[in-house]
């Protein structure tokens, strides 16, 4: 419920009071005042009451009190606002719950009231409540102080908060535009004066109007008074601004004025004026001779480009002609790069080069083939498998026959006269054991085996040596027969033991003697050189020496039988006793091998044993050499005189073949027949096998096949190092020939594929141009162009033709059909040309264009990019740009401000009014006509200004001059901005005075727990 404060008396009224009209509210207040004994004196000014103790009065004190109230209100505003918000919440809570929670008092710490009381406790005059406004003058002074305080205090607080970093710079700028600045003492003083005037004006207005209109009248009075003071302070500037505006209005009527206006428009439009000036001051020469850029293109200034866009809409012919001129200059630069070349010369040069390559290739291949053929002939024709097998067998049979003959001679030398006799006790004992050990169930000996045992039973204690050797031969023959027929049977085992008994019988004689001689040597009874072992060594050394002499004299014994037991000569001497009597018997004793056993005395001495050992070694060596698993099957026959078991053609393949063990087979063959026969036979066979595998129809060897054959036969070829080197050389020669062929074919293939191949198939210049142009689209365009340039070689006509083909390709692909202006020339496709140059500079150089020529093409690309600024730099992406063009055209004139529009509409009327005042209706007519004439002249001048601006935009040199001129004009926007600041300051200060300033001070009594609206009624006038 509201409370009325009537002359210090508070009366609570119903809420319906607020719904009454102002007249009804006044009548209601008068009735309430009469009822409580308060009377109003409307006819005369009430006399000021006397001041009480502790109170102050007067205009000065009230002005200071008003200023303090403003300062305290600003300083305590944060706390007051917070307290007010919290009290609103408390009141709402009390209303909703019926509670009586105490509200926060207005004297809470930090609030405006708390600040006033605190300072009043120090000095009473510092508390505004201690100062009383007793009359209208006091109230005006107090309001003036409040206005000054409200004008200055917020600005000061804002500046302090900004310096402390509490307020952002953007917020400070916005508040400065509303409240005014504090950058200087004069500015602060001006704000204070305007604020004081606004406060006093607001109070005066409220004094003169009914109370119900106080808020509105106070606001209006404050604005009027503050505006008047602000305007008074700004009148000189306003007059200067108005004078400049009039000067600007008349400026288009003079050349100097038009130039100044054009310069101003350029300067206002520039986004970066200083940068634009710098660009124009250092403006380079034309990128392409004859292609003059516009000012916006040179500077790249977005504002000037936007101005150019608008000027081009107004004067399209001038800017279209500039674009056509630029395009013509670029095309002229392109045409100047190459003239007079014939593209078809490129294809002719390539075909000529291909013919030359073919001729050179045929000659090189022929020479290489002859060399390879000669080297293939040098390795020989070789011998086929059949003939080689025949030669291998013949050499083996001949060598074996020689070895056999020598072997027989050695055996004959063991007992040359048939006089050797040997003991048989061991032989007979073994034969008796063989028969005695047979069980009843065992198969008894039969056939030849039984006959052998029967012969042994007939032996006496001693027998002739030949009888024993014949018995041994008989036993061995039966062993071979039994093994071949039945395998290793019990009969074979018995015969093997009988053969061993004979061998042991022969060795026992020597062993016993050797043991006796060792004892004699140990006792000092015999010298070492007289022992049987020494004698055997001497016999061997003598035989080896004799064999060496025989070979040196031209002996034809097989190689490989020298050494231990190899190839004994029949001229082996017997022991010394063999030359005289044997055991007392004369040498001329009958040589019948079947002497009576009673007449025989053992005489098998160490010499006889030595001869026997040599003969047996020769037999063993012969068997190991010719009857081994490698060479034995080669000689194998079904019968002694029957055909061989294997064909001749397979024989050399058993010795020379592509496996590691072929090396051992070759070594065995070499030991058997000697290197003199073995190596030529096998080498001829190897050559034949290589030729069969690697020889080509043209008489050359296939190097790959030669290499594979050599690697397969590497182990076998180790025995033929010279042959292997010869074959390797032949392969290399053939490989060299193959490389020549490959190189020539590669060159021919390279010439026949890709662009080169296509150029070989065309003759028309247009086809050549299209084929050359296709190279630029490839990933390896530079490499292909180098290849083409290398292919045409030093042919000058072809080189010119290649350059012409490239130039024609650029014309065909990068110059469109759209005519530039009315020039009759197509327009270069800016984006495609720039992309082409960015990707193909190296390919152009490979095509034969010099660095300067490529630089010219790159300058064209740069010039296109620079010219494109006029078209797309300020164009909004997407959609039509018609609206933007229209706006730019209007913006070129400058959108007229309010004052400009007023001035533009006023000339005729002003002239008429002036004429009427000066001389009546006739003068009014003359004045109107004169003003209209001036207006027309100004319009024509403005059109000329537009021409100057367009000319400056088209000619950077003129723009440089205009942009360098200083300007002194202040537009009417400055005046409007000044007025706007005045009105904003007046509203801020008068509003605070009209509303009482301090929100906390209209809350009512501190004792009220629920604080209703309180209306103070000032009834005195």
């Amino acid at each position: 419920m509201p409370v009325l404060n009537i002359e210090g008396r508070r009366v609570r009224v119903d809420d319906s009071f607020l719904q009454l009209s102002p007249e009804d509210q006044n009548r209601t207040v008068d009735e309430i005042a009469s009822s409580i004994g308060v009377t109003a004196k409307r006819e005369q000014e009430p006399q000021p009451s006397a001041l009480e103790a502790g109170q102050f009065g007067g205009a000065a004190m009230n002005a200071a009190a008003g200023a303090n109230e403003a300062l305290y209100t600003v300083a305590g505003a944060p706390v007051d606002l917070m307290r007010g918000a919290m009290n609103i919440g408390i009141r709402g809570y009390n209303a909703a719950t019926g509670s009586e929670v105490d509200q926060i008092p207005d004297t809470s710490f930090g609030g405006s009231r708390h600040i006033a009381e605190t300072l009043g406790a120090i000095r009473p005059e510092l508390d505004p409540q201690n100062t009383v406004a007793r009359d209208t003058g006091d109230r005006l002074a107090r309001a003036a102080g409040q206005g000054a305080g409200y004008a200055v205090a917020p600005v000061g607080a804002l500046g302090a908060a900004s310096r402390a970093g509490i307020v952002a710079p953007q917020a400070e700028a916005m508040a400065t535009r509303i409240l005014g600045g504090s950058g200087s003492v004069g500015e602060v003083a001006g704000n204070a004066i305007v604020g004081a005037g606004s406060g006093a004006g607001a109070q005066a207005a409220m004094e003169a109007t009914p109370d119900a209109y106080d808020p509105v009248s106070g606001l209006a009075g404050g604005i009027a008074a503050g505006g008047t003071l602000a305007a008074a302070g700004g009148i000189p500037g306003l007059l200067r601004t108005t004078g400049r505006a009039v000067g600007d209005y008349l400026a288009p009527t003079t050349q100097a004025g038009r130039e100044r206006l054009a310069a101003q428009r350029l300067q206002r439009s520039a986004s970066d004026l200083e940068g634009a000036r710098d660009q124009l001051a250092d403006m380079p020469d034309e990128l392409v001779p004859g292609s003059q850029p516009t000012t916006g293109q040179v500077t790249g200034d977005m504002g000037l480009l936007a101005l150019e866009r608008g000027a081009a809409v107004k004067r399209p012919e001038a800017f279209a002609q500039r674009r056509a001129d630029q395009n013509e200059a670029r095309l002229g630069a392109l045409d100047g790069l190459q003239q007079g070349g014939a593209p078809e010369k490129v294809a002719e040069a390539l075909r000529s080069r291909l013919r030359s390559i073919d001729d050179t290739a045929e000659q090189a291949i022929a020479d290489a083939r002859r060399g390879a053929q000669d080297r293939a002939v040098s390795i020989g024709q070789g011998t086929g498998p059949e003939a080689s097998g025949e030669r291998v067998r013949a050499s083996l049979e001949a060598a074996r026959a020689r070895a056999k003959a020598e072997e027989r001679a050695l055996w004959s030398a063991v007992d040359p006269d048939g006089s050797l006799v040997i003991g048989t006790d061991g032989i007979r004992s073994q034969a008796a054991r063989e028969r005695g050990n047979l069980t009843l169930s065992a198969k008894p000996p039969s056939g030849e085996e039984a006959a052998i045992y029967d012969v042994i039973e007939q032996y006496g204690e001693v027998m002739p040596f030949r009888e024993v050797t014949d018995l041994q031969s008989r036993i061995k023959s039966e062993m071979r027969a039994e093994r071949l027929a039945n395998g290793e049977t019990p009969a074979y085992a018995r015969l093997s033991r009988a053969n061993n008994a004979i061998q042991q019988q022969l060795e026992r004689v020597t062993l016993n003697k050797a043991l006796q001689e060792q004892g004699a040597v140990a006792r000092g009874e015999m010298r070492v050189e007289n022992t049987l072992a020494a004698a055997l060594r001497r016999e061997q050394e003598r035989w080896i020496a004799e064999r060496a002499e025989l070979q040196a004299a031209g002996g034809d014994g097989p190689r490989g039988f020298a050494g231990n037991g190899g190839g004994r000569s029949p001229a082996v001497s017997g022991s010394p006793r063999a030359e005289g009597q044997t055991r007392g018997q004369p040498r001329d004793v009958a040589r019948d091998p079947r002497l009576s056993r009673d007449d025989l005395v053992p005489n098998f001495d160490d010499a006889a044993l030595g001869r026997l050992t040599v003969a047996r070694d020769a037999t063993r060596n012969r068997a190991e050499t010719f009857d081994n698993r490698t060479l034995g099957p080669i000689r194998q026959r079904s019968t002694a005189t029957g055909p061989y078991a294997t064909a001749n053609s397979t024989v050399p393949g058993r010795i020379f073949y592509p496996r590691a063990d072929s090396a051992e087979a070759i070594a065995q063959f070499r030991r058997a027949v000697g290197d003199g026969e073995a190596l030529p036979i096998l080498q001829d066979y190897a050559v034949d096998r290589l030729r069969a595998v690697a020889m080509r129809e043209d008489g050359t060897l296939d190097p790959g096949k030669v290499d594979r054959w050599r690697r397969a036969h590497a182990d076998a070829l180790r025995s033929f190092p010279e042959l292997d080197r010869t074959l390797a050389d032949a392969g290399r020669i053939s490989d060299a020939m193959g490389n020549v062929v490959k190189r020539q074919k590669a060159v021919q293939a390279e010439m026949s594929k890709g662009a080169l191949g296509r150029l070989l198939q065309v003759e028309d210049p247009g086809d050549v141009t299209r084929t050359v142009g296709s190279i630029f689209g490839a990933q390896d365009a530079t490499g292909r162009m180098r290849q083409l340039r290398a292919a045409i070689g030093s042919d000058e006509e072809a080189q010119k033709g290649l350059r012409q083909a490239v130039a024609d390709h650029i014309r065909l692909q990068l110059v469109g059909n759209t005519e530039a202006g009315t020039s009759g020339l197509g327009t270069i496709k800016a984006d495609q040309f720039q992309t082409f140059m960015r990707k193909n500079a190296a390919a152009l150089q490979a095509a034969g264009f010099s660095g300067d020529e490529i630089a010219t093409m790159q300058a064209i690309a740069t010039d296109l990019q620079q010219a494109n600024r006029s078209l797309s730099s300020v164009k909004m992406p997407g959609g039509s740009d018609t609206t933007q063009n229209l706006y730019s055209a209007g913006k070129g004139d400058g959108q007229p401000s309010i004052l400009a529009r007023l001035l533009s509409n006023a000339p005729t009327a002003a002239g008429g009014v002036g004429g009427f005042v000066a001389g009546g209706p006739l003068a009014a007519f003359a004045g109107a006509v004169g003003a209209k004439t001036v207006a027309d002249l100004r319009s024509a001048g403005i059109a000329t200004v537009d021409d100057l601006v367009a000319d400056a935009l088209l000619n950077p040199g003129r723009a440089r001059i205009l942009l360098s001129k200083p300007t002194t004009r202040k537009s009417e926007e400055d005046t409007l901005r000044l007025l706007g600041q005045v009105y904003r300051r007046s509203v801020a200060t008068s509003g605070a005075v009209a509303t009482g300033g301090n929100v906390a001070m209209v809350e009512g009594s501190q004792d009220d727990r629920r604080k209703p609206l309180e209306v103070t009624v000032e009834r005195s006038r």
Side-chain angles (χ1 to χ4, degrees):
M1 295 177 67
V3 176
L4 300 179
N5 187 349
I6 304 173
E7 302 296 336
R9 303 285 296 276
R10 286 182 172 85
V11 179
R12 191 181 304 275
V13 297
D14 191 272
D15 288 337
S16 60
F17 175 81
L18 299 176
Q19 307 300 324
L20 298 175
S21 65
E23 293 79 4
D24 291 339
Q25 287 180 350
N26 286 334
R27 286 194 296 271
T28 301
V29 171
D30 289 340
E31 292 175 0
I32 294 173
S34 299
S35 65
I36 61 175
V38 176
T39 60
K41 296 181 180 180
R42 298 180 178 270
E43 301 300 331
Q44 61 181 7
E45 185 71 17
Q47 296 297 322
S49 59
L51 295 175
E52 299 179 2
Q55 291 184 337
F56 303 93
M61 291 299 297
N62 275 282
N68 288 337
E69 283 178 348
L71 295 175
Y72 299 163
T73 298
V74 173
V79 175
D80 290 342
L81 291 173
M82 182 62 69
R83 185 184 67 252
M86 295 176 67
N87 284 340
I88 290 172
I90 292 173
R91 288 198 295 271
Y93 175 78
N94 289 340
T97 62
S99 302
E100 295 184 354
V101 178
D102 292 339
Q103 298 188 48
I104 302 172
D106 60 356
T107 58
S108 57
F109 179 80
S112 58
R113 188 65 231 143
H114 176 264
I115 295 173
E117 290 182 355
T118 301
L119 294 176
I122 298 173
R123 291 182 64 89
E125 59 269 25
L126 295 179
D127 186 351
Q129 286 191 357
N130 294 332
T131 300
V132 179
R134 295 182 296 165
D135 52 23
T136 301
D138 289 349
R139 288 192 292 273
L140 291 175
R142 191 161 189 141
Q146 288 179 342
Y150 286 131
V152 175
V155 175
L158 180 65
S162 175
R163 287 189 292 272
I166 300 174
V167 176
Q170 294 85 348
E172 180 187 10
M174 181 179 296
T176 299
R177 287 195 296 269
I178 297 173
L179 302 175
S182 60
S184 65
V185 175
E187 190 173 5
V188 173
N191 290 338
I193 292 172
V194 173
S198 297
Q203 184 63 37
M206 289 189 294
E207 290 286 336
T209 60
D211 294 342
Y213 299 103
D214 283 352
V216 176
S217 61
L219 181 61
I223 292 175
T228 300
L229 290 175
I235 284 175
L238 186 60
L239 291 176
R240 288 192 297 271
T241 300
T242 304
R244 282 194 296 269
V246 173
D248 285 347
Y249 178 78
L250 297 177
T253 62
T254 65
Q255 179 62 26
R258 288 191 290 270
E259 291 181 357
R260 179 170 59 83
L261 291 176
Q264 290 173 354
R265 188 180 299 178
L266 287 173
Q267 293 175 11
R268 286 199 306 269
S269 299
S271 300
D272 181 4
L273 180 58
E274 292 303 322
R277 287 172 174 168
D278 293 340
Q279 288 288 338
L280 292 172
D282 299 331
M283 183 175 61
D285 296 335
E286 295 171 350
L287 294 173
V288 177
S291 177
Q292 182 182 2
T294 66
T295 300
Q297 293 169 5
V298 170
T299 61
D301 187 272
M302 301 293 285
L304 293 178
L305 287 167
L307 184 62
E308 178 184 322
R309 191 182 188 89
V313 173
K314 288 183 176 182
R315 290 166 176 75
E317 68 286 350
F319 288 90
Q321 185 61 47
R322 174 57 54 85
R323 287 193 291 271
D325 293 343
Q326 291 175 339
N327 184 71
E328 184 176 1
R330 297 177 194 123
L331 290 176
L334 277 179
D335 293 340
L337 295 177
Q338 177 60 46
Q339 292 289 341
E344 64 273 15
K345 293 297 183 180
V346 176
E348 294 177 5
L350 289 177
R351 284 191 287 271
S352 176
R353 175 69 184 279
L354 184 59
R355 287 192 296 271
S356 175
I357 290 174
D358 290 341
D359 295 342
T360 302
E362 290 178 2
Q363 183 63 43
I365 292 172
D367 294 343
R369 183 179 291 111
R370 280 194 296 273
Q373 290 170 343
D374 293 343
R375 186 54 60 94
V377 170
S378 68
I379 68 174
Q381 296 298 315
T383 304
E386 183 71 26
S388 296
E390 217 175 290
R391 292 174 65 188
V392 169
R393 276 202 173 113
S395 63
L396 282 175
E397 294 291 3
R400 186 177 185 281
R402 290 192 297 270
K404 189 69 174 176
E406 187 169 343
E407 179 187 344
R408 285 194 296 270
L410 291 174
W411 279 104
S412 298
V414 174
D415 186 14
D417 54 2
S419 62
L420 291 179
V421 179
I422 189 172
T424 62
D425 54 339
I427 301 172
R428 289 183 292 109
S429 298
Q430 182 63 38
R433 281 196 298 274
E434 295 296 341
R435 281 187 166 179
N437 290 337
L438 291 173
T439 63
L440 294 176
S441 301
K443 180 182 179 180
S446 62
E448 178 65 10
E449 180 187 6
I452 289 172
Y453 292 147
D454 291 341
V455 170
I456 294 175
E457 286 182 354
Q458 298 175 21
Y459 276 14
E461 291 183 0
V462 293
M463 290 292 293
F465 173 70
R466 288 187 176 179
E467 286 286 346
V468 176
T469 56
D470 289 342
L471 175 65
Q472 189 174 28
S473 297
R474 187 176 179 182
I475 291 174
K476 287 183 178 181
S477 297
E478 181 59 21
M479 287 174 62
R480 285 193 294 271
E482 179 67 19
R483 187 173 185 181
L484 289 173
N486 302 314
E488 294 184 358
T489 61
Y492 177 83
R494 290 192 295 271
L495 290 170
S496 179
R497 288 191 290 271
N499 181 60
N500 291 338
I502 294 173
Q503 183 65 26
Q504 291 172 2
Q505 184 72 44
L506 294 172
E507 293 176 353
R508 188 180 302 117
V509 175
T510 304
L511 178 61
N512 291 335
K513 184 172 182 57
L515 292 175
Q516 294 173 0
E517 289 177 349
Q518 288 178 3
V521 171
R523 292 190 299 272
E525 298 174 357
M526 189 176 187
R527 298 171 61 88
V528 175
E529 56 270 18
N530 295 331
T531 61
L532 175 61
L536 287 175
R537 282 194 299 272
R538 286 193 297 272
E539 181 67 17
Q540 276 187 323
E541 293 171 358
R542 183 186 63 78
W543 182 87
I544 292 172
E546 290 178 356
R547 183 64 178 167
E549 292 176 2
L550 180 63
Q551 290 179 350
D556 55 357
R559 299 177 186 176
F561 275 83
N564 187 13
R568 293 293 186 181
S569 171
V572 178
S573 64
S575 65
R577 286 191 291 270
E579 297 176 359
Q581 296 181 350
T582 304
R583 298 285 184 179
Q585 296 182 7
R587 283 183 58 85
D588 57 355
V589 67
R591 297 181 181 181
D592 184 5
R594 297 188 181 275
L595 293 174
S596 171
R597 286 175 293 185
D598 295 335
D599 298 336
L600 297 178
V601 177
N603 64 351
F604 194 85
D605 57 7
D606 53 350
L609 180 61
R611 294 191 296 275
L612 176 62
T613 301
V614 171
R616 296 177 72 178
D617 287 344
T619 299
R620 184 174 62 255
N621 285 339
R622 186 257 311 157
E624 292 176 353
T625 301
F626 296 98
D627 298 331
N628 54 53
R629 286 186 296 181
T630 298
L631 302 180
I634 294 176
R635 296 180 50 261
Q636 186 176 355
R637 300 171 185 259
S638 57
T639 61
T641 58
Y644 289 104
T646 57
N648 286 340
S649 59
T650 64
V651 169
R654 289 177 174 271
I655 301 172
F656 190 93
Y657 50 86
R659 288 205 310 267
D661 54 349
S662 174
E664 179 58 28
I666 292 173
Q668 292 177 355
F669 182 59
R670 293 173 64 182
R671 284 195 297 269
V673 303
D675 288 346
E677 289 188 63
L679 293 181
I681 294 173
L682 294 180
Q683 181 168 311
D684 289 345
Y685 172 72
V687 169
D688 178 77
R689 291 299 84 202
L690 174 65
R691 293 174 65 90
V693 171
M695 185 64 73
R696 293 185 291 215
E697 292 182 359
D698 61 356
T700 62
L701 293 172
D702 186 315
K705 292 180 179 180
V706 170
D707 183 63
R708 288 191 293 273
W709 189 89
R710 288 180 59 237
R711 282 189 279 110
H713 294 80
D715 295 291
L717 288 173
R718 281 200 295 269
S719 300
F720 309 93
E722 188 62 32
L723 172 63
D724 190 36
R725 285 192 294 272
T726 301
L727 296 180
D729 290 341
R732 279 193 293 272
I733 295 297
S734 295
D735 190 35
M737 183 199 74
N739 290 335
V740 171
V741 174
K742 288 179 182 178
R743 283 195 300 271
Q744 299 304 325
K745 287 184 177 180
V747 172
Q748 293 170 336
E750 194 66 26
M751 288 286 292
S752 301
K753 71 179 183 180
L756 296 181
R758 292 194 297 273
L759 286 171
L760 290 171
Q761 308 301 321
V762 299
E763 296 181 359
D764 184 78
D767 294 336
V768 173
T769 295
R770 282 186 290 273
T771 304
V772 171
S774 67
I775 295 177
F776 291 105
Q779 293 290 335
D780 54 343
T782 302
R784 294 189 183 187
M785 193 62 75
R786 287 199 186 101
Q787 182 187 30
L788 175 57
R789 180 71 185 279
I792 62 178
S794 58
D795 190 325
E796 293 184 2
E797 292 297 322
Q799 291 176 358
K800 291 180 180 178
L802 177 59
R803 287 164 49 92
Q804 188 65 54
V806 173
D808 292 347
H809 167 75
I810 293 175
R811 268 279 193 174
L812 288 172
Q813 299 299 320
L814 303 180
V815 178
N817 297 323
T818 302
E819 183 180 5
T822 58
S823 63
L825 301 175
T827 305
I828 296 179
K829 301 174 183 177
D831 186 68
Q832 292 91 325
F833 190 90
Q834 294 173 62
T835 302
F836 177 84
M837 289 306 303
R838 185 175 64 253
K839 292 182 177 180
N840 296 297
L844 289 169
Q845 185 177 16
F849 289 93
S850 66
D852 292 340
E853 291 169 334
I854 294 174
T856 297
M857 287 186 272
Q858 289 174 334
I860 294 174
T862 304
D863 191 62
L864 286 167
Q865 184 180 33
Q866 178 177 268
N868 193 53
R869 293 173 174 176
S870 296
L871 301 177
S872 60
S873 60
V874 292
K875 177 183 177 181
M876 298 301 294
S880 174
D881 59 349
T882 302
T883 302
Q884 185 182 1
N885 290 338
L886 293 176
Y887 175 77
S888 297
K891 186 179 179 182
D893 290 331
Q895 289 294 331
S897 63
I898 296 174
L899 181 59
R901 284 196 293 269
L902 291 174
L903 292 175
S904 65
N905 293 326
T908 302
V913 172
F916 182 81
V917 173
L922 185 59
F925 175 77
V929 171
K932 183 66 171 66
T933 301
V934 173
D936 291 341
L937 290 174
R938 180 179 182 277
S939 298
I942 290 176
T944 305
V945 171
D946 291 341
D947 291 337
L948 289 175
V949 170
D951 181 71
L953 291 173
L954 286 170
N955 298 281
R958 296 190 185 91
R960 181 175 64 235
I961 296 173
L962 290 177
L963 287 176
S964 64
K965 287 185 175 181
T967 60
T968 59
R969 175 187 175 276
K970 289 287 187 177
S971 67
E972 63 272 14
E973 294 179 359
D974 296 337
T975 302
L976 294 178
R977 187 177 301 110
L978 174 62
L979 294 176
Q981 292 176 355
V982 169
Y983 287 127
R984 283 197 297 271
R985 297 175 194 172
S986 299
V987 169
T989 54
S990 62
V993 173
T995 57
N998 193 340
V999 176
M1001 297 179 67
V1002 299
E1003 289 184 347
S1005 174
Q1006 300 177 12
D1007 297 332
D1008 295 336
R1009 298 187 178 182
R1010 299 179 182 176
K1011 297 182 179 179
L1013 175 65
E1014 179 177 322
V1015 180
T1016 300
V1017 181
E1018 297 287 349
R1019 300 182 69 249
S1020 60
R1021 296 290 182 264

